[in-house]
């Protein structure tokens, strides 16, 4: 199997597609506000925490893989699958936004 064949199988199999997308969205949601960039000023030497760089690197890696998933959906050319995945993503992010607003 090559990457394209695996991607097609995931997209064509509802259970695999659902599990992948649900897990992927949860990973992206859990990353929100991870290691925010903090800067201490007013001291003799200003300090910027390096931990935000690690979060940025992880985010960049995950987003590049997100594009691979979306490319597989596009190559399959299945509008129904695309709409299903977009709706699920929208629902999850709305729920996350509601939690953030009430926190």
């Amino acid at each position: 199997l090559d990457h394209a064949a695996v991607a097609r199988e995931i997209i064509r199999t509802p259970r695999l597609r659902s599990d992948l997308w649900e897990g992927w969205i949860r990973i992206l949601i859990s990353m929100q506000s991870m290691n925010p960039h903090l800067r201490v000023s007013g001291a003799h030497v200003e300090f910027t925490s390096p931990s935000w760089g690690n979060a940025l690197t992880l985010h960049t890696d995950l987003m590049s893989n997100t594009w691979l998933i979306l490319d597989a959906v596009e190559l399959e050319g299945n509008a129904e699958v695309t709409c299903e995945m977009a709706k699920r993503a929208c629902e999850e992010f709305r729920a996350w936004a509601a939690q953030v607003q009430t926190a």
Side-chain angles (χ1 to χ4, degrees), residues 82-95:
T82 304
C83 286
E84 172 197 324
M85 293 174 81
K87 284 179 185 176
R88 289 190 64 178
C90 188
E91 290 167 3
E92 291 290 334
F93 286 120
R94 279 187 179 151

Side-chain angles (χ1 to χ4, degrees), residues 17-37:
R17 182 176 64 239
S18 176
D19 289 350
L20 170 72
W21 199 237
E22 181 178 329
W24 200 255
I25 289 171
R26 287 182 183 207
I27 289 170
L28 294 176
I29 286 173
S30 68
M31 287 181 43
Q32 297 302 311
S33 301
M34 177 181 65
N35 291 325
H37 185 177

Side-chain angles (χ1 to χ4, degrees), residues 10-94:
I10 290 170
I11 298 307
R12 289 179 182 161
T13 307
R15 174 68 187 213
L16 289 174
R17 182 176 64 239
S18 176
D19 289 350
L20 170 72
W21 199 237
E22 181 178 329
W24 200 255
I25 289 171
R26 287 182 183 207
I27 289 170
L28 294 176
I29 286 173
S30 68
M31 287 181 43
Q32 297 302 311
S33 301
M34 177 181 65
N35 291 325
H37 185 177
L38 300 174
R39 183 178 184 151
V40 178
S41 60
H44 176 69
V45 177
E46 293 186 3
F47 173 78
T48 300
S49 172
S51 65
W52 70 271
N54 296 332
L56 179 63
T57 300
L58 176 60
H59 174 78
T60 303
D61 291 346
L62 286 174
M63 287 311 300
S64 66
N65 287 310
T66 300
W67 290 117
L68 290 174
I69 294 168
L70 295 174
D71 284 346
V73 172
E74 181 183 19
L75 287 174
E76 186 63 25
N78 189 329
E80 182 180 323
V81 169
T82 304
C83 286
E84 172 197 324
M85 293 174 81
K87 284 179 185 176
R88 289 190 64 178
C90 188
E91 290 167 3
E92 291 290 334
F93 286 120
R94 279 187 179 151

